[in-house]
Amino acid sequence: MTFHVSRIISKIVDATPELTLADVVAARQRIAGGVAVTPCPESIPLSELTGSRVFCKLDYLQRTGSFKERGARNALLQLNDEQRKRGVVTQSAGNHALGLAYHGHLLHIPVTVVMPRFAPIIKLSTCRKLGANVVLHGDSFLEAREHALQLSNDEGYTYIHGFDNPHIIAGQGTAGLEILEQVPAVDAIIAPVGGGGLLAGIALVVKTMKPKVAIFGVESANMPSFAAAIKAGGPVDVPACPTLADGLAVGRVGKLPFDIIKQRVDQVVPATEEQLSLAVLRLVELEKAVVEGAAAAPLAALMSNQFPQLRGKTVVLTLCGGNIDPVVLGRVIEKGLAADGRLARFTATISDRPGGLAAFSQIVSKAGASIKQVTHDREFSGPSIAHVNVQCIVETADREHLQRLYATLRESGFVVKE
């Protein structure tokens, strides 16, 4: 029998009824007690930083570290007895896999997760610890999805898509219900958009209950699948590109989410890698919140002044996931410091005689900066044997401080190349 992925996906999407607020309310009742009602406190430092009155919806506090549990549990609880017995299958290398694995274990429903071979080891091992059967297959998410659908076809597993599924979207929409209760005076909500499940769920709720509340989405500038869909008039594939917001690295926005979002969301904007890094850094420093790149996207867009109309308004940022690899976090913080002008690399020409480096270091120190690393470059420093280039990495207070350091060094006779 010939297996056609596109035909199966088409049948899944075409068979789904239109979602309503009643579906989200029912989902909330269904998942109550199994998924946390996360807090949404006001952030004084982020309000001072952005000029808006900022509240943060802390869904990274869910057991598996993301909002994905909402939709996963809602979908699992709507399986019939035969489907529960056979189990479910999905493809994911991230939070959807964790949410489905965790709630499948709680509900005694077998879960199979197909991950591409490059999946992060930490998420692979966590999925297995949560009780899922993890299958590594393919070198891309497309190949992993095809294999998941093949398993569904061959083994009778119920396929649960991570975002293009009405039960998933209804579950994610419960976050919108909570926000409206926790921040009744909200003027705008900003959420990330990759596949679109979270943004679609929140928009469905909010625009039905309080249509005057603005809804904004933020996607990765490296993988703008929603912008591509708007331009094409429907979901289309975009080239894979590495991004800090790996949770938003979706090559094609979901059809169901897209149909909901295009009718209800006011604007979707991109966030660059530099903006994402800086937002992660700000959340660590100001909110003591360790979040992944996708969860930092709303703050990244707000900080980069992409929503000037929100100054003085009450804004909720959805901090929807905290599953960032500690090694990656260290790199991201350094990139954020560099974007902030607090970590810089430059080349200076100094005397290669005894005491030359000491004199240079003393001036840097007196300027209030700290040298993290110095590398001598004698081979390519030019014809003069009396001078040497040094490549320096320094820490400063901010970009203005860095510029003062450069000025001080030049006034002292050093040639500085930024």
Side-chain angles (χ1 to χ4, degrees), residues 34-370:
V35 174
V37 176
T38 54
C40 192
E42 183 175 1
S43 170
I44 301 301
L46 293 185
S47 297
E48 293 173 345
L49 176 68
T50 63
S52 301
R53 188 184 181 199
V54 175
F55 290 76
C56 295
K57 181 61 173 167
L58 309 183
D59 246 30
Y60 67 89
L61 297 179
Q62 297 288 354
R63 165 63 181 83
T64 61
S66 94
F67 73 97
K68 289 284 190 177
E69 290 188 29
R70 298 174 180 273
R73 189 172 183 89
N74 186 50
L76 289 170
L77 285 171
Q78 295 185 75
L79 300 174
N80 61 38
D81 290 342
E82 179 62 24
Q83 290 172 322
R84 283 175 174 242
K85 183 178 179 180
R86 286 182 177 270
V88 301
V89 64
T90 193
Q91 85 286 340
S92 172
N95 294 330
H96 175 58
L98 299 178
L100 207 60
Y102 175 58
H103 287 280
H105 176 71
L106 293 180
L107 298 169
H108 307 290
I109 299 172
V111 174
T112 296
V113 175
V114 182
M115 293 186 175
R117 295 189 184 95
F118 63 80
I121 294 176
I122 186 171
K123 291 186 178 178
L124 187 154
S125 61
T126 302
C127 254
R128 285 178 171 158
K129 288 177 183 177
L130 291 172
N133 171 37
V134 179
V135 177
L136 294 177
H137 182 91
D139 296 318
S140 69
F141 284 106
L142 176 60
E143 291 178 4
R145 181 182 66 176
E146 289 176 345
H147 190 62
L149 287 165
Q150 182 74 64
L151 289 173
S152 173
N153 187 66
D154 295 345
E155 305 295 334
Y157 301 148
T158 298
Y159 176 70
I160 300 181
H161 198 286
F163 47 84
D164 213 356
N165 178 301
H167 303 320
I168 293 291
I169 296 171
Q172 321 306 27
T174 60
L177 291 172
E178 293 173 15
I179 289 171
L180 291 182
E181 292 175 353
Q182 294 166 327
V183 191
V186 61
D187 294 308
I189 299 171
I190 309 176
V193 55
L198 177 64
L199 184 60
I202 290 176
L204 175 64
V205 168
V206 175
K207 288 299 186 179
T208 303
M209 297 181 69
K210 289 190 174 183
K212 290 186 178 180
V213 174
I215 304 293
F216 298 107
V218 186
E219 65 181 346
S220 166
N222 280 13
M223 289 195 69
S225 57
F226 186 83
I230 288 292
K231 185 176 181 179
V236 292
D237 294 326
V238 297
C241 184
T243 172
L244 165 59
D246 57 345
L248 306 184
V250 176
R252 186 186 186 99
V253 69
K255 182 181 184 302
L256 288 173
F258 178 75
D259 289 342
I260 294 171
I261 292 169
K262 70 178 181 179
Q263 297 175 14
R264 296 172 175 86
V265 172
D266 296 83
Q267 186 183 6
V268 174
V269 302
T272 66
E273 296 302 290
E274 182 177 282
Q275 291 165 350
L276 290 167
S277 296
L278 192 55
V280 170
L281 175 62
R282 288 286 184 268
L283 286 164
V284 170
E285 287 185 318
L286 302 179
E287 278 300 299
K288 311 301 180 283
V290 178
V291 303
E292 57 196 84
L299 178 61
L302 189 61
M303 285 197 313
S304 57
N305 200 34
Q306 296 198 66
F307 305 119
Q309 69 272 36
L310 296 184
R311 292 190 67 83
K313 302 292 186 180
T314 300
V315 180
V316 172
L317 307 179
T318 57
L319 305 189
C320 56
N323 292 318
I324 185 170
D325 189 303
V327 174
V328 173
L329 177 62
R331 297 172 187 164
V332 169
I333 289 175
E334 290 197 341
K335 286 183 178 294
L337 289 169
D340 211 15
R342 295 158 59 187
L343 190 66
R345 182 178 62 185
F346 64 90
T347 299
T349 302
I350 68 173
S351 170
D352 201 21
R353 300 183 184 280
L357 180 60
F360 171 79
S361 301
Q362 187 175 28
I363 292 173
V364 173
S365 177
K366 284 184 177 180
S370 175

Side-chain angles (χ1 to χ4, degrees), residues 343-350 360 364 369-371 373-375 389-396 402 405-406 409-410 414-418:
L343 190 66
R345 182 178 62 185
F346 64 90
T347 299
T349 302
I350 68 173
F360 171 79
V364 173
S370 175
I371 297 176
Q373 183 178 317
V374 174
T375 304
N389 286 345
V390 289
Q391 293 182 338
C392 299
I393 297 178
V394 298
E395 285 182 302
T396 55
L402 177 61
L405 171 63
Y406 290 155
L409 288 170
R410 286 166 178 148
F414 295 99
V415 177
V416 175
K417 296 180 181 179
E418 300 177 26

Side-chain angles (χ1 to χ4, degrees), residues 19-31:
L19 278 170
T20 67
L21 176 62
D23 295 309
V24 182
V25 172
R28 184 181 190 180
Q29 295 171 343
R30 198 174 290 120
I31 69 176

